[in-house]
Amino acid sequence: MLIRIVRMTFEEGKVDEFLKIFYQNKENIRHFRGCTHLDLLEDLHNKNVFSTYSIWEDDDALNEYRSSDLFKSVWAPTKALFSDKPQASSYKRNMTV
């Protein structure tokens, strides 16, 4: 299992445009092969900062999504709205704790 968190900072006035893109595509992303979970998190103090939290079966599933037409159709218009470079991290759950 792979957990992917992508933190995105948007230009002021562009949040509604991002939310429209996200909500139009969230079900397709959630049902993409290998995706088992997708959430959108809004920063508590910065209204133009959001993070996606997704869970994937493995790294191959995430990479297949990142190479897909769906990803390209979502990411291209989304990245045009950024005011700062996004920060992406991948994690695995530590089952020893």
Side-chain angles (χ1 to χ4, degrees):
M1 176 175 42
L2 178 138
I3 298 168
R4 181 76 165 181
I5 300 172
V6 180
R7 179 183 166 95
M8 303 165 286
T9 303
F10 294 95
E11 293 179 21
E12 289 200 29
K14 301 291 184 175
V15 169
D16 287 342
E17 193 172 342
F18 162 68
L19 291 174
K20 181 178 178 183
I21 294 166
F22 181 83
Y23 286 111
Q24 286 176 340
N25 292 282
K26 67 180 180 173
E27 292 305 320
N28 289 331
I29 298 168
R30 283 185 176 133
H31 292 100
F32 195 89
R33 188 195 73 73
C35 182
T36 63
H37 185 86
L38 173 66
D39 274 332
L40 181 63
L41 309 172
E42 181 180 347
D43 188 278
L44 185 61
H45 301 291
N46 299 303
K47 298 299 181 186
N48 64 325
V49 176
F50 288 81
S51 293
T52 54
Y53 175 93
S54 57
I55 301 176
W56 298 85
E57 289 175 359
D58 54 30
D59 198 38
D60 289 340
L62 174 61
N63 286 330
E64 184 178 331
Y65 167 67
R66 292 177 66 206
S67 297
S68 72
D69 289 338
L70 174 60
F71 175 80
K72 293 171 189 168
S73 72
V74 172
W75 192 247
T78 298
K79 72 179 184 177
L81 307 173
F82 293 153
S83 66
D84 199 2
K85 184 177 179 180
Q87 301 170 348
S89 300
S90 295
Y91 300 89
K92 65 179 183 176
R93 185 168 277 145
N94 186 334
M95 301 306 269
T96 62
V97 291

